[in-house]
Amino acid sequence: MASPTMESLILQLHDISAVKFGNFKLKSGISSPIYIDLRLIVSYPALLRQISQTLISSLPPTTPYDLVCGVPYTALPIATCISTASDVPMVMRRKEVKDYGTAKAIEGAFRDGQICLIIEDLVTSGASVLETAAPLRAAGVKVTDVVVMIDREQGGRENLAQSGITLHAMVRLSEMVRILKEKGRVSEETEALVLKFLDDNRKVALPSPPPATLVRSRIPYGERAKIAKNPTGKRLLEVMVHKETNLCLAADVATAKELLDIADKQLTS
């Protein structure tokens, strides 16, 4: 039986339209009678704080962790609340790793062998959790547990277990719908429709990994200058190497035509 705190949180999520009923096309392409948009909670600080407290309290007391990491992007504010309230360091996974600067996949301070608890808002197949666990593990951090607001009960728990990750959920989707029905927020017909949808889609497969992409390496300007055949181009590359900048030419002209005329004269001289 759900606690009064849990029931209150579920009703508040319904109040702000974070839980909707109808006919929605999911990322997987299938149609669902329920849609959950937890990105809205960032606009409700009190609710965000309550969710963060309830989420972390749903963990077994013996769950070990030295760090927390929210799955980008929706779980980042939840992880931040947990970090500041519990005084547990937080690290962040870059969803898009940059090809400049430090080019890190994981940002923050951490050490090899530390244990990181992953924070997630919603789990269906578990793919997003695995996408976060992989770079953490590659960086030498251990990942054994994830805590999630809502388990959609569509195979995520089993998929994560196969990768050595235990899923802890604040609430299961079927339980959430049951509470909304008991509180008069949805009809018995709607509850039955959602439960049938879950039964029909009990196992959502993990997506296939994307095909390998060809990474083009950049040839340094100095090397390009050595193989350049055009004298002007060669000189410009040498200037960029000397000045250590991409800005290699400035021209005091008023129109594009004047600039092209200068370029033509250089090429024909």
Side-chain angles (χ1 to χ4, degrees), residues 195-258:
L195 294 180
K196 183 178 185 304
F197 168 78
L198 291 177
D199 285 337
D200 292 343
N201 299 275
R202 187 60 64 182
K203 179 69 174 177
V204 176
L206 290 168
S208 301
T213 55
L214 179 63
V215 179
R216 298 179 61 184
S217 59
R218 294 183 178 180
I219 303 175
Y221 291 136
E223 296 301 316
R224 290 169 62 181
K226 293 177 183 179
I227 61 176
K229 296 182 180 179
N230 181 281
T232 302
K234 180 181 179 68
R235 179 56 183 151
L236 291 177
L237 289 167
E238 290 172 344
V239 170
M240 285 189 278
V241 172
H242 177 71
K243 292 188 174 183
E244 298 182 348
T245 177
N246 291 339
L247 180 61
C248 60
L249 174 66
D252 185 12
V253 296
T255 66
K257 183 177 183 305
E258 291 178 84

Side-chain angles (χ1 to χ4, degrees), residues 67-107:
L67 310 163
V68 295
C69 180
V71 175
Y73 293 104
T74 306
L76 289 178
I78 304 173
T80 302
C81 282
I82 291 173
S83 174
T84 55
S86 306
D87 198 26
V88 175
M90 173 178 164
V91 294
M92 294 191 300
R93 174 179 77 88
R94 279 189 176 274
K95 199 165 186 178
E96 301 88 13
V97 180
K98 307 298 182 183
D99 61 354
Y100 54 84
T102 60
K104 291 181 179 179
I106 304 297
E107 298 288 358

Side-chain angles (χ1 to χ4, degrees), residues 121-232:
D121 62 322
L122 182 73
V123 162
T124 302
S125 69
S128 295
V129 174
L130 294 175
E131 288 171 1
T132 297
L136 283 167
R137 287 171 166 173
V141 176
K142 297 179 181 178
V143 178
T144 58
D145 297 85
V146 55
V147 63
V148 58
M149 282 182 60
I150 303 171
D151 176 9
R152 287 189 64 108
E153 305 172 86
Q154 293 180 275
R157 183 180 298 275
E158 294 77 14
N159 289 335
L160 291 171
Q162 290 178 7
S163 293
I165 301 174
T166 301
L167 173 68
H168 309 277
M170 191 177 82
V171 66
R172 291 176 289 108
L173 185 57
S174 58
E175 183 182 9
M176 171 183 280
V177 177
R178 177 185 60 78
I179 291 170
L180 290 173
K181 189 262 294 182
E182 289 179 352
K183 298 301 180 180
R185 299 298 185 93
V186 298
S187 65
E188 290 186 6
E189 290 79 11
T190 298
E191 180 191 26
L193 191 63
V194 173
L195 294 180
K196 183 178 185 304
F197 168 78
L198 291 177
D199 285 337
D200 292 343
N201 299 275
R202 187 60 64 182
K203 179 69 174 177
V204 176
L206 290 168
S208 301
T213 55
L214 179 63
V215 179
R216 298 179 61 184
S217 59
R218 294 183 178 180
I219 303 175
Y221 291 136
E223 296 301 316
R224 290 169 62 181
K226 293 177 183 179
I227 61 176
K229 296 182 180 179
N230 181 281
T232 302

